[in-house]
Amino acid sequence: MASFKPTKIQVYPKLGEKVTQDTLYWKNYKAPVQIKEFGAITNIDFSPVAPHNFAVTAFTRVHIYGPFSQEPVKTFTRFKDTAYSGRFRSDGQLLVAGCEDSMVRLFDVGGKVALRMFKGHTKAVHVTDFTSDGYQILTGSDDYTCRLWDIPNATELNTYQEHTDYIRCGVTSKLNRDLFITGSYDHTLKMFDARLDKSVMTMDHGHPVENLLLYPSEGLLVSAGGRYVKVWDLLKGGQPLVSLKNHHKTVTCLSLGSNGQRLLSASLDRHVKVYNTTNYKVVHNFDYAASILSLGLAPDDESIVVGMTNGILSVKHKKSPEESKETSGQQRRKPSYRVFVKGKNYVPKQDDYLVSKPVKQHLAKYDKQLKRFNVSKALDTALETWIRRRKPEITVAVIKELDRRGTLKNALAGRDEQSLFQLLNFLIGNLVDPRFAPVLVTTAEMILDIYRSVIGQSPVVDRQLLRLQDLLEREIDYQKDLLEVLGMLDTMFASSIPRKEVPCSGISRSNGLGQGEASTSRPQLQAT
Amino acid sequence: MVEHGDIRVVHRGGSKINFREPVITNDSKFLLCASGECVKVFSTSTEECLHDLRGHTDLVTGVIIKPSNHLQAYSCSADGTVRLWDFTDGILIKTYVIGHPIYSIHASASHEGVVFVVTSMHADKRPDLLQLVAVHLPRSGDQMVEARELSAVLSDVSSNPLAIAFGRGGEFIASAKGLQLEVYIFRKQKAYRFFLKEDNKKGGRNTFTCVACHPKDDCIATGHEDGKIRLWRNFNQKKEYTYSTLHWHHSAVSSLCFTPEGTNLLSGGIESVLVQWRYNQEDQREFLPRLGAAITHIAVSPDGSLFFTSHSDNKITIIQSCLKVSAAIQGLVKGENVTTDLMMDPRSKSLVLNGKPGHLQFYSLQRDKLLYNLDVVQQEYIHESGLQQFEVVKAAFDASGTWLATVEERKQKGAEVELNLKLWEFDEQTQSFVLNTTISAPHEAQITDMCFCHSTDNQTTMLVSTSKDGHFKAWQLDAQAHTEADERPSWSCDFVGAYHSLVPECCCFSADGSLLAVSFQEVVTVWSTASWELLTTLSQPPKAIRNLCFGRLSCSKYLLGTTGNNLLCCWNLLTCSLEWSTSMDVSLLLADPISENMAAFCRQAGSTDLFVFKPSEPRPLFSQKAVCPGKVTRAIFAPREEMLESCEESSQWLNRSQLYFLTQHMDLMTFTTKVEEDRLMASSKQLVIDDSVAMTPFYLLLGKHRQQDSRDAQSISAERTPLPQGSVAIKELLQTPAHVLPSTSFLCSMFVQSLLISVTDPREEDKATEEEMESEKEEEDSEEEMESGTTRPEQAPLGRQAAESAAPALTKAQVRELRRVKKLDRSWFAGLLDS
């Protein structure tokens, strides 16, 4: 006697994102720690030396946070106005920050009072950075100039006046102490050599430049401005390499992760996107609550720090290996696991006589009803609220099974107002789903056939039927529109693609559908 | 024409065992089934077929145990004879010639020397009018007896044997036909007839389907077309008869049976549920659901401990009286048609075809036994007629047998076809196929053909399916796509091809897998599997291509095709030109996978001819006219387990593989050579059956082996005949009660020694044969049961001798101990054996 075969629930392919190695990697972070700052967070900079504290510039302060503390370990408050661009020197001892009041202040990380003040700019200074030797400071300001300062005697070394708009970003080369690059709202990126008085290279980004990033090898430069992220090859004289347009608002910040393997971009559209730096495809996406102004990534991706316009600083720490293992273990272990396993791992001795117990087959509720041929009850159980809402595929599978048994009509018939309402509700929710449509359309037709005579007797059912009608009319309109678009596309493709250049094998490898025409258009080679 | 005197077409396997009700012997050890032209004897404990009772020349239509002697059985056949058999030894005792085709046979204990047969006496006048006739079997010593003493009992009876039953040990006989129940009471010599109305109000059909009589009570149970069971009482009066109705079955009751004590009534039908009704308390019923297929017959063993149901899928289920299935005897399932082609499983070398609904069956041709059913559809089968359900329509194996592809199909009224393509991977651990990928709706219309790429060196496996929607698709296992370790590789579509929106019919891969040939009506397109380029087209107008086949091995450059206008074409792919073509109406063309040979079945004047040829040679290797009547559409080359060494030219093609084919009437036939038949005969002679023990493989292994009579025969089959001393030693070892045996370490070496073939001088062997002959003679004249003790004095010294020669390590004392132990108590054990 064969046992009852349960109803097969069709597994539909998931339409969402695929689980890749990257998604696993970037999801392996703890819940974010959220810290409220006084104003919009404009800059986040990680100290290059362990323990990798990070400086957060927000409103009139620069806070330094330790890697795991929720309170700032240090705060610099001696700014008269909004501070900008607090950055560490490569030894992590000094910190420089610009200010709205055009002053540039240099702090010792251990002290409180500014060590040096650099005066000279006439407008707000948004860019500050140390050169690679650590003795000079680069600043860029809204007065269209960028300047080099000598730290020991706090004097201005050089001024460059080539930009024609605000300078809002800049980087210094880590390999050459004389090279630095600035980006401005005049859409250009300029590379300067401190040994010369003018720029050595100019690149046109096409949009106001918001952020710049040099690869560790310094052969490639990444710029962000407008909705675009562009990569430039410096070794080929500033030739544009890639232009990425994955955000739908201005990209504000860039960062490199995983030792230069991944590029992160943050935008006002509240997303952080992770790109693969070999093919520049988006491999992961983070969502945040507000527009993002600044982004920082600790070495080895230990933490992701994001500053937002609403003054919230979000710090995500990576899970330690034990933690990530533990969570997966917890998922596997159900509360009653021990009870289940009790006695099951007992190995019988050699001379033991084994009395086998018949394995009880567990059946779902609807299967139990189907086994007893209670078709109406089976449909009722499959229409229970949580199944209907959460797992419509189960309901559809039961309906399909009833149809296969030829008893769907019996199951649908003889329902009262309440259950008919439920049934129609389910249909309205799922009828236009392309996965379920073939099954549910026949069901809907059957329901209309069966209950035609009672239309007009119950206002509740009538209302549902009208909704169903509306839904169908809308769907038909959509389909018509889609067909029109398809027709238009077809004509466009047909006119744009020259017939002879159809690569027969090339396309067919990519996806198996719709290439039949390509091969049929090939001339018949030879007939014997 | 090549001479082929030694090649014959024979029936092989796949016999039907559910044609008539199985008959159980009084000791419940054997089961007799009418099966084609013979009667098969099965053991109920091991489900093995013990022997075939062969002798009838037409379909066997009924079997019954002789009421006066429970070791003999009657069988009747459409050839007009009733034969009496000793079924334990498989010997034909007598043949009674009736002279008219017989449809069923009945007998009861109270009618000594009389059997009742259903036959058409007036064959020339009204062939559909059948009569129940009492045949007085003449007592005579002859083998062949003509039974002329016939007397009609009832006229106009049903040809269905289930519609006739004896009641109360033969006091009356009940017969039903159409809407009429007729009861004939022998004592009164009077028949009573009861009629039912054609249709009752609810539209149920009242036609009788089967009859069963209560063994102790005056009660007749009848089954009806509409699923009702009526229990008739008081039927020995014309007017005051009564009946009560039981209703559970939703469609016709096909079989009814009372248990021997009359406490329960068993019924079964299409629902494949065995229903047990309590007699006189009919509201108490028990069910045994999901027996697999519609129940056609029900039988109960005389002691009531076992029930036997035979099913429409050629199966007999053995059920204990507590309604628990204990075993099943399964034959080859043959539905109305074989939708999947015949295939060979490369691993188990078994024949694979679609069996019961939604399953693929694996059938061992060598053992004539169903190995297992693979559930392809994996859905609950609803036993109801007129319901459209999923059917397995196509299946294909890859070269190594690791992958199996199946297509299931469900046609709906007014809706499009539902299709599923499933790919199964062979699992080494469970030794069965495990579902790997399900592709729902692989094509928009029915799939016409499907084949795997048969090259062995290729890393990636490829499957091609052609469909009526005008496309062919190539499916490939993508190994690189799986990222996680626990996710196994799955199949996906690699290429979709079409040609001028014609419908592809067949597809075929070349032997090395580099070329794919797809026939689009009258055009054959050849594609490169590496780049999916259309390489060339071959066409032979004006009719569509029906079969397509690449040559193998040295002939792999040839592509053969048959067209609708009776043409067999052979193209050479090196020159892309037609090599030769010949005009014949080929219904099936197939290639031997392990040689260059190809077989073509041609239809000619109502029968089928076979040609076996090599594509490179103009002369056929073998041809036979009129292989079977009707059209052959399914055939398969099955590789042999051991090669034949035939050197005759005409039978060389059968050396490495065997050709099986299915006739129009779904009979599985094959070609055999003389050499093979000789070998079969030689091996079957060795088996002697002890009547007290069921013959099982284990028994055969340990049982007595008859020596070959002639010396030369012995020399041929020397390696297969274990030495008699060895088996005796084992027998002694096994017959001794376990608790009195010495420890195993003593016995081990002796046991192993006894299994080895020792070199013995012919003189000693002579003696052994003499002894064997003697015991044989004794066995043969043992009508009276022989005590096993009488033979023991002869055997015991022999066993001792063997033990001594085999195990010199045993000391004298130990041997003596062993002997004493052996002598101790064996009698009770022997008694157990004999009982």
Side-chain angles (χ1 to χ4, degrees), chain A residues 96-314:
Chain A
V96 69
C99 183
E100 188 70 37
D101 64 356
S102 78
M103 298 281 277
V104 178
R105 293 176 174 83
L106 180 75
F107 299 93
D108 181 4
V109 171
K112 271 201 160 176
V113 190
L115 290 177
R116 298 279 189 279
M117 310 256 277
F118 303 98
K119 276 185 212 167
H121 282 291
T122 55
K123 279 188 179 161
V125 180
H126 279 267
V127 184
T128 57
D129 204 355
F130 292 94
T131 56
S132 59
D133 61 358
Y135 301 130
Q136 291 174 358
I137 289 171
L138 160 76
T139 60
S141 157
D142 283 1
D143 60 2
Y144 311 165
T145 62
C146 59
R147 296 164 199 234
L148 272 179
W149 309 82
D150 184 43
I151 295 174
N153 34 18
T155 53
E156 187 183 314
L157 295 174
N158 213 342
T159 309
Y160 299 92
Q161 272 191 310
E162 290 193 23
H163 285 293
T164 56
D165 208 332
Y166 301 153
I167 297 168
R168 285 288 163 91
C169 56
V171 281
T172 56
S173 162
K174 297 279 179 297
L175 305 176
N176 188 330
R177 66 189 179 102
D178 294 320
L179 279 183
F180 60 91
I181 307 159
T182 56
S184 154
Y185 274 16
D186 64 358
H187 302 188
T188 58
L189 318 164
K190 285 183 190 287
M191 178 186 259
F192 296 93
D193 191 335
R195 293 162 292 192
L196 300 173
D197 279 342
K198 58 185 176 77
S199 62
V200 291
M201 205 184 282
T202 305
M203 291 152 273
D204 187 10
H205 182 84
H207 294 271
V209 185
E210 297 282 352
N211 209 330
L212 284 177
L213 184 76
L214 264 176
Y215 267 62
S217 65
E218 304 199 344
L220 295 179
L221 173 75
V222 190
S223 65
R227 294 163 60 192
Y228 293 88
V229 173
K230 294 191 177 181
V231 184
W232 311 86
D233 194 341
L234 294 179
L235 301 178
K236 282 190 185 166
Q239 200 178 342
L241 200 66
V242 209
S243 176
L244 308 170
K245 189 178 144 191
N246 293 95
H247 289 282
H248 55 264
K249 279 188 184 170
T250 304
V251 183
T252 52
C253 202
L254 295 168
S255 179
L256 274 179
S258 312
N259 289 324
Q261 306 261 309
R262 299 283 179 269
L263 173 70
L264 283 81
S265 70
S267 155
L268 294 179
D269 65 2
R270 305 187 296 192
H271 292 299
V272 173
K273 307 238 174 201
V274 184
Y275 307 85
N276 186 336
T277 53
T278 50
N279 54 9
Y280 293 102
K281 290 255 164 69
V282 176
V283 292
H284 194 67
N285 185 29
F286 295 103
D287 288 355
Y288 283 93
S291 299
I292 304 165
L293 288 178
S294 53
L295 165 77
L297 212 59
D300 298 327
D301 307 333
E302 281 303 325
S303 52
I304 302 172
V305 185
V306 164
M308 286 170 273
T309 45
N310 57 0
I312 285 177
L313 181 74
S314 152

Side-chain angles (χ1 to χ4, degrees), chain B residues 300-311:
Chain B
V300 183
S301 69
D303 58 355
S305 63
L306 291 175
F307 304 152
F308 299 84
T309 54
S310 67
H311 300 264

Side-chain angles (χ1 to χ4, degrees), chain A residues 1 5 404 509 512 526 528, chain B residues 289 380 389 496 530 535 537 576:
Chain A
M1 184 178 77
K5 290 172 200 156
R404 185 179 74 86
R509 291 248 163 227
Q526 177 189 3
T528 51
Chain B
E380 184 73 9
Q389 312 212 35
V496 181
L535 297 176
T537 57
C576 292

Side-chain angles (χ1 to χ4, degrees), chain A residues 326-340:
Chain A
E326 197 177 278
T327 48
S328 60
Q330 272 173 350
Q331 282 166 357
R332 219 177 296 133
R333 189 183 301 156
K334 296 274 156 47
S336 52
Y337 178 70
R338 278 196 187 164
V339 185
F340 268 122

